[in-house]
Amino acid sequence: MSDRDDNPAASGADRPSEQVPDTKPGLDIMTFGCRLNGWESEVMRKHAQDAGLSNAILVNTCAVTNEAVRQARQQIRRARRENPEAKIIVTGCAAQVDPDMFAQMPEVDRVVGNDEKLKAETFKPDLLLGGTEKVRVNDIMSVRETAGHLVEGMEGRARAYVQVQNGCDHRCTFCIIPFGRGNSRSVPAGEVVDQIKTLVDKGHSEVVLTGVDLTSWGGDLPGTPQLGRLVQAILKQVPDLPRLRLSSIDAIEIDEPLFEAITGEARVAPYLHLSLQAGDDMILKRMKRRHLRDDAIALCTRLKEARPDIAFGADLIAGFPTETEAMFENSLKLVDECQLAYLHVFPFSPRPGTPAARMPQLDRAVIKERAARLRAKAEEALNHHLDSMIGRVDAALVEKPGFARAGNFAAIRYPSDTAPRPGALVNIEVSGHDGRELQGNLVE
């Protein structure tokens, strides 16, 4: 699993659901899941506004867990009760995977696929709402390109996101996302660089590269370049970019140029969210992951030695089918062995159509208990991480008055009597923490 504020799934899609209402009258957007979905909602917003779509609610769904689907359906019903005259258009991964389920909901007016939702013509009111065809979802596996859609700034967000990749060629046994996103496809490097130049010219201090399986970028491009080449091209060709951040990545695919950029370039944020999923070799093999626990430990150790200020987050699944207590203990131990600071813990949830759903399942009570233990371990790890930052001065990105985020992803509260604009990089001296967030003061 994967990309939520960082994403489970391959490596870039799927986090706790987030609903982001549009503030413009006549058009609301509800977004669930990963930050890639959040970025795509901004593309949809622009297309819908340019087309003059009004009195409509766009629901951008997530398919990574059954809970995400349940929440989307619940919010659709609520939206209809509160907006009886509005047109409700459902899209996203859950709609792509199971369009008929949403089409059968009386509250839904149209179901649009993941490819269609990024096309400007989709949102022309006469095309979108005309006729009687309720489902407009194509074969996502037939899509061969990912367009370099430019979003000049995500509404209400301090940092800018640039989608450089979509889809996934891997078939982890627990993951439905490839069937919602299709096969891996990349945005050419030149288009990415041009987008980032535009964003920097408009004043953005931090740009995030995002995708479903980010480290597979380039595999479908001429010469099959790797992500490290793209990152180094951005750093060289956009020298005025203050900070470049990577979204969730698959650790096994970090190439040497990418390693060198992460460890040797101060403008690359010292934080990586790793798609690890488990810490036991047998479970990793049954998940059809491409790394073993020693691979993860060796990578984190090597990165820490080369860049001591780097912090790691990770996705971990509790209660995968056949997981024994000893196997689960290996996942618990991985938190310390990889020096993880942030965990996204997912109680295993079988997704229909995936191989893992057909494996021997654990009792739900066992899954819930193991998830709770992983979350307790996550709190311990975060405390340790925050302790290590007391006394430091860190360049942090202001997200809203009184709240910023350090390069290593730590949240920092500071007195908001002085209020730098959202998106500004400021120096903050850390004085303490409350177990979740740092406290500090602005310094010159």
Side-chain angles (χ1 to χ4, degrees), residues 110 120-131 133 136:
R110 290 291 184 273
E121 58 267 25
T122 296
F123 295 93
K124 294 178 179 179
D126 56 336
L127 295 178
L128 179 63
L129 301 173
E133 183 184 17
R136 299 174 185 180

Side-chain angles (χ1 to χ4, degrees), residues 55-56 79-80 82-88 109:
N55 195 25
R80 173 56 72 218
E82 296 178 354
N83 304 273
E85 302 303 320
K87 297 295 184 181
I88 296 181
D109 294 284

Side-chain angles (χ1 to χ4, degrees), residues 104-267:
Q104 290 169 11
M105 295 180 68
E107 297 86 356
V108 174
D109 294 284
R110 290 291 184 273
V111 181
V112 175
N114 257 342
D115 183 42
E116 291 84 354
K117 76 179 182 183
L118 299 179
K119 297 177 178 178
E121 58 267 25
T122 296
F123 295 93
K124 294 178 179 179
D126 56 336
L127 295 178
L128 179 63
L129 301 173
T132 59
E133 183 184 17
K134 193 170 184 178
V135 175
R136 299 174 185 180
V137 178
N138 72 3
D139 176 10
I140 197 69
M141 295 301 178
S142 69
V143 179
R144 293 289 178 262
E145 294 181 354
T146 288
H149 304 280
L150 175 61
V151 177
E152 296 183 353
M154 292 182 71
E155 193 146 315
R157 305 196 186 221
R159 55 185 56 79
Y161 294 78
V162 174
Q163 182 191 25
V164 304
Q165 183 274 341
N166 205 341
C168 184
D169 290 336
H170 311 303
R171 296 296 182 264
C172 297
T173 59
F174 55 82
C175 187
I176 198 71
I177 295 304
F179 303 98
R181 290 285 180 174
N183 293 318
S184 180
R185 49 207 189 274
S186 312
V187 178
E191 292 185 34
V192 175
V193 169
D194 288 345
Q195 286 191 21
I196 294 176
K197 285 180 179 178
T198 299
L199 291 166
V200 171
D201 287 345
K202 291 184 175 295
H204 288 281
S205 297
E206 181 174 305
V207 171
V208 183
L209 299 186
T210 188
V212 173
D213 184 21
L214 186 61
T215 38
S216 71
W217 178 88
D220 58 322
L221 297 177
T224 61
Q226 293 182 288
L227 183 63
R229 175 175 161 184
L230 175 63
V231 169
Q232 293 197 347
I234 293 168
L235 295 171
K236 180 179 180 180
Q237 296 179 43
V238 195
D240 294 332
L241 171 64
R243 177 176 288 164
L244 181 67
R245 187 179 293 276
L246 303 177
S247 64
S248 181
I249 64 173
D250 196 333
I252 199 67
E253 292 184 322
I254 294 181
D255 60 287
E256 197 59 30
L258 181 57
F259 183 92
E260 292 172 1
I262 292 168
T263 58
E265 174 54 71
R267 290 188 295 151

